[in-house]
Amino acid sequence: MSDPTTPPPPPAARPLLNLQPTMSPSSITVEALPSNTSRIERLISSPVSSSPSRRICSDRFIPSRSSSNFSLFSMPSSSPPARSSSHVKDGNSSAASTAYTALLREALLGPDTPDRTDSHSPAQNIFRYRNETKRSLHSLFPLGFEEGETAAFRRPVKAARKFERSAFKVLDAPALQDDFYLNLVDWSSHNVLAVGLGNCVYLWNACSSKVSKLCDLGVEESVCSVGWSQRGNHLAIGTSNGKVQIWDASQCMRVRTMEGHRLRVGSLAWSSFLLSTGSRDKSILNRDIRAHENFTSKLTGHKSEVCGLKWSYDNRELASGGNDNKLFVWNQHSTQPVLKYCDHTAAVKAIAWSPHLHGLLASGGGTADCCIRFWNTTTNSHLNCIDTSSQVCNLVWSKNVNELVSTHGYSQNQIIVWKYPTMSKLATLTGHTFRVLYLAISPDGQTIVTGAGDETLRFWNIFPSPKYQNTEGEIGTSLLGRTVIR
């Protein structure tokens, strides 16, 4: 019997390995456990096969950089390159790789970029300034392009517009006065040219080249100015005795005669049914041709003859130039000028509003000035001044492109086409032997007509068609052969 005071024996120790009943710990051969390093290398090199019964998920992606060519951009690799015992790659493949690396580096970084692996380590070039040389876009391509070469992907250069150096049509204009302060030529929106010759007004139809006599003022009066209404059906005629006549051109009939000025009326400007007239009596009269009164308002401010008048394209501002060397800007309701410009040193006859930019006004001075000045009436600022070295007689903007033309008197009698805003000369045309005092533009905006004291009217094709921006730069033909209605 066992002693009741003796404690029971402890249970047998449980084996660390779960063995089959037929196996004993003595039958197992125990090998040396591998180190941690060799176990990790074996796990990395062993093929990975996914178990269909178990889905493996990971919270990050560790890329394999074993196939990356860090030496191409002089970057250090995370592991040393593996050395092949057989040395399969020969010298030719190494040379080809070196050549390709140099070519790619030159294309991306420039031909003058040094090989950083030869001079400095990558760590030494971090956050260092580098003097870059300005290169063209084509230098970034691996094949490279010379500056003079033409590539298929380069933007084609638009051909320069050609100008005819001589007028394509010349008409005789006997008795066309050589007077700087008159305005005797105007072109209607119905393609009809009105010309004041002595005491008569003649109409030339640009579609049929037919000439007709509109009126004869008699021996006691002479024509000082002509101006078409915007619709092109009424013609205003300013006379030497201070009267203004309104004619219906289609019926060759005088509609009415308006008074108000004491001296000759040398400038006219239409704004819908409102007609503004400038006179030698220093005043400007605004007339509504629908009203019974001779004029609705009187503008005073000039100290000498008013020789230039132009309404802006939005019919909100009226610009006037006078023989007092002043340029004034009026609004629709003012009787005093709202803007005064006194920079010209000679009479201001040449006035033109830009059809492209609101508030942009150009003006030209006479013989003692010879300058074209540009103003921004919105900000009341002087933008630019160009010395033409010749009397500026007229200015007209092109409505098709951002260009303008000026005609000149003493001493060169030339016609100049300008590119705005650079004010570079596109063409200088000559042909008149006297001052080019008169200028008008066709309704299609391509042709101008000039008149001078040499008693000739000359027609020039200078401005392109509205489709010029979408063409190869060829100037279109004049539309004198058909009617163009705005």
Side-chain angles (χ1 to χ4, degrees):
M1 293 182 60
S2 61
D3 188 358
T5 60
T6 304
R14 188 175 180 179
L16 296 177
L17 298 177
N18 293 329
L19 303 177
Q20 298 294 333
T22 57
M23 298 180 62
S24 63
S26 59
S27 63
I28 298 176
T29 305
V30 179
E31 297 181 357
L33 295 177
S35 64
N36 292 336
T37 303
S38 59
R39 181 184 295 111
I40 293 175
E41 291 179 356
R42 192 182 343 176
L43 290 175
I44 294 177
S45 59
S46 62
V48 179
S49 60
S50 60
S51 173
S53 62
R54 184 180 179 184
R55 183 178 179 183
I56 300 176
C57 298
S58 176
D59 61 343
R60 61 176 178 167
F61 170 72
I62 302 177
S64 175
R65 297 183 174 86
S66 59
S67 60
S68 301
N69 188 3
F70 292 96
S71 61
L72 183 62
F73 299 101
S74 303
M75 296 178 60
S77 175
S78 58
S79 61
R83 299 184 61 182
S84 175
S85 59
S86 58
H87 300 282
V88 177
K89 295 182 180 181
D90 55 4
N92 293 334
S93 61
S94 177
S97 177
T98 303
Y100 175 76
T101 302
L103 180 62
L104 187 58
R105 180 185 295 107
E106 180 179 352
L108 295 178
L109 305 178
D112 300 330
T113 304
D115 188 356
R116 290 184 291 182
T117 58
D118 299 337
S119 56
H120 302 282
S121 64
Q124 294 175 339
N125 288 332
I126 295 177
F127 300 133
R128 285 196 174 190
Y129 290 101
R130 179 165 172 259
N131 295 327
E132 296 286 349
T133 57
K134 186 176 181 180
R135 299 187 299 274
S136 64
L137 178 63
H138 307 296
S139 65
L140 299 179
F141 291 88
L143 298 180
F145 292 94
E146 297 294 334
E147 292 296 331
E149 293 181 357
T150 302
F153 54 82
R154 288 189 180 182
R155 186 176 181 180
V157 179
K158 183 180 292 186
R161 198 165 84 244
K162 296 181 180 179
F163 293 87
E164 295 293 336
R165 297 299 174 179
S166 58
F168 69 89
K169 183 186 292 292
V170 180
L171 299 179
D172 290 329
L176 184 62
Q177 298 187 54
D178 185 22
D179 193 330
F180 177 80
Y181 301 100
L182 305 185
N183 294 274
L184 298 176
V185 178
D186 197 22
W187 207 328
S188 78
S189 59
H190 287 194
N191 219 6
V192 178
L193 187 69
V195 184
L197 301 177
N199 54 4
C200 299
V201 175
Y202 291 87
L203 303 180
W204 180 77
N205 192 313
C207 303
S208 61
S209 297
K210 180 181 177 180
V211 179
S212 60
K213 184 178 180 179
L214 179 65
C215 66
D216 189 341
L217 302 181
V219 294
E220 296 182 356
E221 289 184 271
S222 62
V223 180
C224 296
S225 57
V226 295
W228 287 101
S229 64
Q230 293 172 339
R231 295 186 177 182
N233 51 350
H234 289 96
L235 178 68
I237 302 174
T239 65
S240 57
N241 62 1
K243 297 180 180 179
V244 177
Q245 298 183 6
I246 307 297
W247 285 74
D248 186 344
S250 61
Q251 303 294 329
C252 290
M253 180 179 63
R254 186 175 62 185
V255 176
R256 63 181 299 185
T257 300
M258 295 178 289
E259 300 179 350
H261 290 296
R262 295 178 290 104
L263 299 174
R264 70 180 183 183
V265 180
S267 54
L268 304 168
W270 284 88
S271 173
S272 185
F273 293 101
L274 182 66
L275 173 64
S276 300
T277 60
S279 172
R280 200 171 192 175
D281 63 8
K282 311 172 188 177
S283 66
I284 301 171
L285 298 181
N286 289 329
R287 313 169 186 266
D288 191 336
I289 63 174
R290 302 167 297 180
H292 296 287
E293 296 82 10
N294 284 318
F295 58 90
T296 57
S297 62
K298 184 176 181 179
L299 312 181
T300 57
H302 285 285
K303 304 301 181 182
S304 186
E305 179 174 9
V306 180
C307 50
L309 276 179
K310 281 293 188 301
W311 277 97
S312 61
Y313 280 86
D314 58 4
N315 295 323
R316 294 184 177 181
E317 294 178 303
L318 174 67
S320 64
N323 196 29
D324 55 359
N325 310 341
K326 302 295 190 298
L327 174 67
F328 293 158
V329 178
W330 320 71
N331 60 29
Q332 294 173 314
H333 309 290
S334 66
T335 57
Q336 294 294 322
V338 294
L339 297 176
K340 295 181 180 181
Y341 301 118
C342 307
D343 296 71
H344 287 290
T345 57
V348 182
K349 176 192 176 184
I351 300 174
W353 292 92
S354 170
H356 309 288
L357 185 61
H358 174 74
L360 177 58
L361 176 64
S363 60
T367 306
D369 185 74
C370 300
C371 291
I372 300 176
R373 296 181 181 271
F374 295 90
W375 318 86
N376 188 333
T377 60
T378 303
T379 60
N380 190 20
S381 58
H382 181 231
L383 301 179
N384 195 8
C385 178
I386 302 298
D387 188 357
T388 66
S389 302
S390 185
Q391 180 188 39
V392 183
C393 301
N394 295 279
L395 287 170
V396 167
W397 286 87
S398 168
K399 64 180 182 180
N400 301 334
V401 290
N402 201 12
E403 300 171 3
L404 70 159
V405 60
S406 61
T407 65
H408 300 268
Y410 302 125
S411 59
Q412 302 179 36
N413 306 327
Q414 77 274 36
I415 303 165
I416 303 178
V417 184
W418 307 86
K419 180 69 175 179
Y420 189 83
T422 60
M423 290 306 291
S424 57
K425 291 183 181 180
L426 299 179
T428 300
L429 311 175
T430 56
H432 287 288
T433 57
F434 280 63
R435 295 181 297 174
V436 188
L437 297 176
Y438 311 110
L439 171 66
I441 190 168
S442 63
D444 65 355
Q446 300 182 47
T447 304
I448 64 169
V449 58
T450 56
D454 56 10
E455 299 185 346
T456 62
L457 296 174
R458 298 176 182 269
F459 295 81
W460 316 77
N461 276 332
I462 60 170
F463 291 130
S465 65
K467 298 181 180 180
Y468 172 73
Q469 301 294 342
N470 300 325
T471 62
E472 294 297 328
E474 294 293 334
I475 184 170
T477 57
S478 172
L479 299 182
L480 292 175
R482 62 184 178 89
T483 304
V484 180
I485 302 177
R486 187 180 302 173

